[in-house]
Amino acid sequence: MTKKIKPYQGPAGGWGALSSTTRFVFGSKQPAANIRNLLRANQVKGFDCPGCAWGDEQGKHFSFCENGAKAISWEATTKRVTPAFFQQHSLSQLQRQSDYFLEYQGRIEQPMYLNRETDHYQPISWDDAFALIGRHLQALDHPDQLELYTSGRASNEAAYLYQLFGRSFGTNNFPDCSNLCHEASGVALTQAIGVGKGTVTLHDFEQADAIFVFGQNPGTNHPRMLHSLRNAARNGTAIVSFNNLKERGLERFADPQSPLEMLTPKDSRISSHYFCPRLGGDMAVVRGMVKQLLAWDTAALAEGGVGLFDRDFIATHTQGLEDYLNQVQATSWTQITEQSGLSQEQISQAARVYADASKVIVTWAMGITQHKHSVATIREITNLQLLCGQLGKPGAGLCPVRGHSNVQGNRTVGINERPSAAFLDQMEQHFKHPMPRQPGHNAVAAIQALLDGNAKVFIALGGNIAAAAPDTLATARALANCELTVQISTKLNRSHIMAGKQALILPCLGRTEQDMQAGVSQFITVEDSFSMVHASEGVGKPNSPQQRSETAIVAGIAHATLGSQPVDWLALSQDYNLIRDHIAATLPGFERFNERLMQPGGFYLGNSAARYQWQTPNGKANFGAAPLPESLIPQAITAKAQGLLSTLQTLRSHDQYNTTIYGMDDRYRGVYGQRMVLFMHPDEIKRRGLQEGDWVELSTVWLDDVERKVGGFKVVAYDIPPGDVAAYYPETNPLVPLHSVGDGSDTPTSKSIPVLIRKQQAARII
Ligand SMILES: Nc1nc2c(c(=O)[nH]1)N[C@H]1C(S)=C(S)[C@@H](COP(=O)(O)OP(=O)(O)OC[C@H]3O[C@@H](n4cnc5c(=O)[nH]c(N)nc54)[C@H](O)[C@@H]3O)O[C@H]1N2
Ligand SMILES: Nc1nc2c(c(=O)[nH]1)N[C@H]1C(S)=C(S)[C@@H](COP(=O)(O)OP(=O)(O)OC[C@H]3O[C@@H](n4cnc5c(=O)[nH]c(N)nc54)[C@H](O)[C@@H]3O)O[C@H]1N2
Ligand SMILES: [Mo]
């Protein structure tokens, strides 16, 4: 593997994407199976691509992208992690291997139990594994000593059964990947508009006059979104991007599925305007836009015009305008420009585009949600949209672009540590079983509970908490403290290695594989970012006859723990229609669930805010009137730092899916054959007496005295605001303090970590 840095010149997509897709699909041992799989991705009959949560365009013959192809081919490998593999590799040996090595070994073949005496995983039967879990859970002093983690790939059916199991057992401890991801969006939108989801549908993207994209890298993480953006750009829609980095996918894109575009990539522009604010500067950007709009509105009114704001909408639907506008007036341009890193002129330019558009969509992702003031930032974005009535009409609205393909569905069906009383009442009535009322643990609280010894058993329905969670060393200690850790997984990962005193790996089927129960092929359902619920049915032959569906595994655990209370778990796992009937009986919007799934493309769950029904305590859409944060990095930290502080964002490369590393390239950022790089502005490199290519170590400055340090990063000069730096996740997770979290969301602040950078003599991983 050659390591090099070579800036990328072409559009996103294009020949690079085509050749990478081809390499992935044909380079594996089973190209025919990969092609068959890809042709069934995101089709009416077929499976939902496990890549991302972007919506499906109906009627398209191909509906996958380069990174979807990677996700599908990666899952559909013929390679297997067998008992012989575990005999060869002790746990201590596996601990020294990279994340790439672990996942690359293939699919886990059969259930495995960690024998601490031999330091090796060894086979265990399904029945014995379930019985072991049942014994542990029955021995707990309190149901809240159990933590039930979920990653957003789980189906609605598996997730529903999982939450029913947890609640029937007596706990609301449902930490999940959302807590590390879009939690702030859910919190802010629920406060403001009464529903924690986006208000737009895919169709709205065709009708918008302007689309504002904040803190998101769709070229890598939601490549199918580029089709929507490209089509919109061609139709004259203004696309205004705010990103700390110049991401190629937001600049230019050529559709690898269009021969014409590939040969004549003339009109590949995506963004009409591209601004690079400082990390965490977006709240100030939006505040500035509103300040400018307010000035224009006031001037227009003074001249006898109608003004810019939608006064009818505001009067009928909202509360809190006056406090908010007072807050806007009290915010100075000096503070706005300092905090955002953009000039007043740049912000006014963005405001002009906004004012000129009659229909505006705002989208965002992790660049917005993983900061201390993320909830306030999303409230600010919502304020902007409310002021101009940009919600609930075609071509306008709010669009948090979700991560995992079914993360939104998991939440909808009850993976929530703070369920509503109405949901619990309904569950209680339907299942005639008491449901716990005390709030449960989110991801950070669960890790803390494990550290404190207040929780003892950790079960994970997918994901890789050991690598995905912040403060890697603390998380490792938390997992090691467990009496039992259980990982329901497709592939080997860090969480199997950073295990509890006793540990199980339970291998499951993936989304792409056929799931036979009682002789009948089952389908599952998922919900995308646009609240579309649809069926997904795997087509591939399972990689091993020993792997079971997630639903069957959850049912097995529940049966071993609770017998047949309050439902016959095993019967439900034999026929997923029965689970959907329970969903229909307990969740609003799922009436006649099985029947409505028969519509091609599924059905729209609806969004109350898009219908102007505000499910907030005061029955209105609410403006938020938070001041800008005093400073982006807490002053106590700046005071404590002895040296030149930088703000680090931790982000994804083009060749990874969260903690799954497919390869060592990040093509659009010009990085090849390596991941241990630190992107820095050339002036910053100089200011620190460094040079490109130097090796550095990073250490976090935080309020406690814990040393958080990683080393072996190579300095790469990059177009990034001075003072901000960027490096890949999960290598940098040891730097994120467990309790450095978003206000009101508890999401780790993975996009703004105060760090010191020191030169190292040679590359050395600490
Ligand atoms: N191929 C692939 N697809 C994926 C994933 C994957 O890992 N690989 N992950 C899935 C998941 S779970 C998720 S949540 C999504 C993640 O999708 P993204 O949110 O696109 O993921 P990140 O790589 O974290 O990128 C954050 C982007 O925000 C920018 N940014 C960071 N901080 C700021 C800021 O303060 N302000 C502004 N304006 N910009 C900022 C960064 O430069 C970067 O472009 O993708 C999903 N899809
Ligand atoms: N520093 C930093 N940390 C972050 C982030 C960041 O930007 N920076 N992003 C955060 C975000 S947005 C998220 S969503 C989390 C992700 O956190 P997780 O969802 O916990 O992690 P993933 O890497 O997506 O999980 C990958 C593992 O899932 C298993 N898997 C894959 N497919 C399936 C399946 O179909 N079923 C089951 N049961 N298992 C399967 C495989 O074993 C694989 O190893 O990470 C968060 N952590
Ligand atoms: Mo995510």
Side-chain angles (χ1 to χ4, degrees):
M1 197 169 341
T2 337
K3 293 183 180 184
K4 61 176 180 190
I5 304 289
K6 185 167 182 277
Y8 181 83
Q9 306 296 353
W15 292 106
L18 195 63
S19 86
S20 159
T21 311
T22 319
R23 214 171 40 244
F24 244 82
V25 174
F26 291 98
S28 88
K29 290 199 180 118
Q30 40 153 22
N34 283 341
I35 291 166
R36 186 192 56 215
N37 278 345
L38 288 172
L39 291 175
R40 298 292 284 276
N42 297 328
Q43 299 296 316
V44 170
K45 198 151 171 41
F47 56 84
D48 181 69
C49 176
C52 75
W54 192 250
D56 301 335
E57 282 176 67
Q58 295 303 318
K60 254 192 114 185
H61 193 52
F62 298 114
S63 194
F64 60 89
C65 65
E66 176 196 353
N67 280 351
K70 286 181 196 162
I72 291 167
S73 312
W74 192 255
E75 179 171 295
T77 174
T78 49
K79 289 179 76 172
R80 284 189 211 169
V81 179
T82 60
F85 171 87
F86 286 111
Q87 229 167 20
Q88 266 168 21
H89 299 86
S90 69
L91 194 70
S92 324
Q93 282 167 341
L94 290 174
Q95 271 161 359
R96 292 192 290 273
Q97 296 292 351
S98 70
D99 292 326
Y100 177 75
F101 171 90
L102 294 176
E103 280 235 8
Y104 190 71
Q105 302 311 313
R107 296 285 294 276
I108 303 152
E109 186 189 77
Q110 49 179 288
M112 301 300 294
Y113 168 75
L114 177 61
N115 184 336
R116 283 279 175 194
E117 275 169 23
T118 60
D119 196 35
H120 284 265
Y121 271 102
Q122 66 189 43
I124 183 172
S125 72
W126 279 105
D127 284 348
D128 287 350
F130 290 147
L132 179 75
I133 299 170
R135 278 200 304 280
H136 269 275
L137 296 189
Q138 282 153 4
L140 293 178
D141 305 324
H142 193 282
D144 284 337
Q145 290 177 332
L146 168 63
E147 302 289 351
L148 293 165
Y149 180 74
T150 315
S151 168
R153 264 196 200 180
S155 65
N156 286 337
E157 289 71 11
Y160 184 81
L161 217 57
Y162 194 57
Q163 64 83 32
L164 177 61
F165 160 62
R167 297 201 161 104
S168 304
F169 182 70
T171 186
N172 281 315
N173 285 348
F174 291 105
D176 80 319
C177 72
S178 272
N179 300 142
L180 311 171
C181 182
H182 259 294
E183 189 70 54
S185 307
V187 171
L189 293 176
T190 305
Q191 290 171 358
I193 59 170
V195 53
K197 299 183 185 182
T199 65
V200 297
T201 65
L202 199 49
H203 198 48
D204 286 314
F205 281 79
E206 295 158 16
Q207 302 179 51
D209 299 317
I211 301 170
F212 283 68
V213 182
F214 282 92
Q216 199 193 340
N217 181 22
T220 287
N221 298 314
H222 305 92
R224 286 180 299 127
M225 180 177 178
L226 291 188
H227 292 258
S228 302
L229 293 181
R230 190 271 323 259
N231 292 343
R234 285 210 175 142
N235 291 335
T237 303
I239 295 178
V240 185
S241 292
F242 294 90
N243 198 303
N244 192 238
L245 305 175
K246 280 273 173 61
E247 302 286 26
R248 179 43 47 102
L250 288 168
E251 294 180 318
R252 286 189 289 136
F253 169 64
D255 184 352
Q257 292 177 15
S258 154
L260 187 69
E261 234 169 76
M262 294 291 282
L263 294 170
T264 54
K266 51 185 186 324
D267 183 18
S268 57
R269 180 188 60 76
I270 296 278
S271 296
S272 50
H273 301 75
Y274 203 123
F275 302 105
C276 296
R278 288 175 61 193
L279 287 173
D282 304 83
M283 183 176 177
V285 170
V286 181
R287 178 65 52 91
M289 284 173 64
V290 173
K291 201 173 171 70
Q292 180 61 75
L293 292 172
L294 179 61
W296 287 333
D297 180 78
T298 312
L301 290 181
E303 285 169 19
V306 286
L308 290 181
F309 298 155
D310 187 338
R311 295 197 151 68
D312 285 347
F313 178 88
I314 293 171
T316 320
H317 295 296
T318 70
Q319 210 166 63
L321 177 73
E322 206 182 314
D323 284 351
Y324 174 56
L325 291 186
N326 286 340
Q327 190 60 253
V328 173
Q329 259 150 352
T331 316
S332 70
W333 273 112
T334 318
Q335 195 185 6
I336 289 169
T337 50
E338 266 177 25
Q339 205 161 96
S340 66
L342 300 184
S343 67
Q344 186 173 345
E345 198 191 344
Q346 286 173 308
I347 294 175
S348 300
Q349 222 185 338
R352 187 73 262 159
V353 179
Y354 191 94
D356 287 345
S358 57
K359 290 169 284 179
V360 183
I361 293 176
V362 183
T363 80
W364 67 90
M366 295 307 100
I368 295 298
T369 63
Q370 296 179 332
H371 294 286
K372 186 167 189 302
H373 56 295
S374 291
V375 170
T377 304
I378 298 161
R379 291 291 304 263
E380 193 68 19
I381 290 173
T382 312
N383 289 340
L384 170 69
Q385 293 287 77
L386 291 178
L387 271 176
C388 297
Q390 293 291 359
L391 211 144
K393 62 183 185 186
L398 294 158
C399 180
V401 183
R402 302 279 164 183
H404 272 297
S405 54
N406 195 37
V407 63
Q408 186 159 318
N410 286 182
R411 263 291 154 86
T412 305
V413 302
I415 301 299
N416 189 342
E417 75 281 3
R418 289 177 177 270
S420 71
F423 173 62
L424 293 178
D425 291 346
Q426 192 59 32
M427 292 264 290
E428 223 162 66
Q429 222 177 44
H430 179 73
F431 292 108
K432 304 194 173 37
H433 192 89
M435 295 290 150
R437 299 285 163 162
Q438 73 285 3
H441 294 152
N442 59 21
V444 166
I447 294 167
Q448 191 60 53
L450 293 172
L451 280 170
D452 295 342
N454 293 332
K456 295 186 181 333
V457 176
F458 181 87
I459 303 182
L461 180 56
N464 181 5
I465 183 111
D471 234 342
T472 311
L473 292 179
T475 298
R477 268 189 287 122
L479 292 172
N481 251 354
C482 288
E483 296 301 326
L484 174 69
T485 50
V486 181
Q487 301 287 340
I488 303 169
S489 318
T490 50
K491 290 201 159 186
L492 193 61
N493 66 39
R494 189 66 45 198
S495 301
H496 306 129
I497 311 304
M498 280 155 61
K501 291 173 197 156
Q502 294 194 60
L504 288 167
I505 306 176
L506 304 180
C508 66
L509 297 175
R511 185 81 63 76
T512 57
E513 286 139 2
Q514 195 174 41
D515 178 1
M516 296 294 288
Q517 302 292 339
V520 179
S521 173
Q522 305 287 318
F523 63 87
I524 52 101
T525 59
V526 294
E527 175 186 338
D528 65 25
S529 272
F530 306 109
S531 305
M532 289 297 300
V533 177
H534 61 93
S536 167
E537 188 170 354
V539 292
K541 189 166 165 276
N543 161 295
S544 145
Q546 290 244 42
Q547 291 154 355
R548 292 197 180 174
S549 79
E550 290 176 334
T551 310
I553 297 172
V554 172
I557 295 175
H559 177 76
T561 312
L562 300 171
S564 290
Q565 289 302 319
V567 287
D568 183 344
W569 302 97
L570 300 183
L572 293 184
S573 71
Q574 298 278 289
D575 180 359
Y576 300 175
N577 283 328
L578 301 177
I579 303 175
R580 285 187 284 272
D581 286 341
H582 286 301
I583 295 179
T586 46
L587 283 162
F590 285 91
E591 300 77 17
R592 297 182 292 108
F593 189 7
N594 277 306
E595 188 188 322
R596 282 155 76 207
L597 277 177
M598 297 304 139
Q599 300 162 40
F603 63 93
Y604 176 49
L605 262 186
N607 180 293
S608 48
R611 296 192 302 271
Y612 298 155
Q613 291 167 6
W614 315 106
Q615 295 175 352
T616 50
N618 60 2
K620 295 278 182 188
N622 290 300
F623 285 98
L628 293 185
E630 258 177 40
S631 58
L632 292 176
I633 295 298
Q635 271 154 3
I637 302 280
T638 322
K640 192 176 170 189
Q642 290 175 345
L644 214 46
L645 262 190
S646 300
T647 308
L648 169 74
Q649 66 149 317
T650 61
L651 78 179
R652 292 154 174 80
S653 80
H654 194 62
D655 275 0
Q656 78 181 80
Y657 193 94
N658 295 342
T659 66
T660 298
I661 312 301
Y662 303 127
M664 306 306 274
D665 296 348
D666 190 8
R667 194 169 71 242
Y668 300 147
R669 300 197 187 103
V671 176
Y672 297 88
Q674 55 196 325
R675 288 179 53 85
M676 298 296 282
V677 293
L678 181 69
F679 299 108
M680 287 179 87
H681 190 280
D683 293 350
E684 280 302 299
I685 298 178
K686 267 201 217 115
R687 201 146 80 97
R688 284 178 167 71
L690 296 167
Q691 291 186 346
E692 264 184 80
D694 274 355
W695 297 102
V696 290
E697 68 177 23
L698 307 170
S699 58
T700 307
V701 182
W702 187 241
L703 302 164
D704 56 24
D705 290 321
V706 176
E707 183 176 72
R708 297 182 180 84
K709 201 191 254 186
V710 289
F713 287 79
K714 194 159 78 179
V715 170
V716 172
Y718 209 76
D719 186 1
I720 181 173
D724 293 346
V725 293
Y728 300 125
Y729 133 75
E731 287 82 349
T732 43
N733 284 43
L735 296 174
V736 189
L738 183 62
H739 292 290
S740 173
V741 292
D743 296 332
S745 68
D746 247 9
T747 302
T749 56
S750 309
K751 296 289 189 274
S752 47
I753 311 158
V755 291
L756 295 172
I757 301 169
R758 285 195 199 89
K759 187 168 168 166
Q760 271 179 307
Q761 283 324 312
R764 187 165 57 89
I765 316 284
I766 301 173

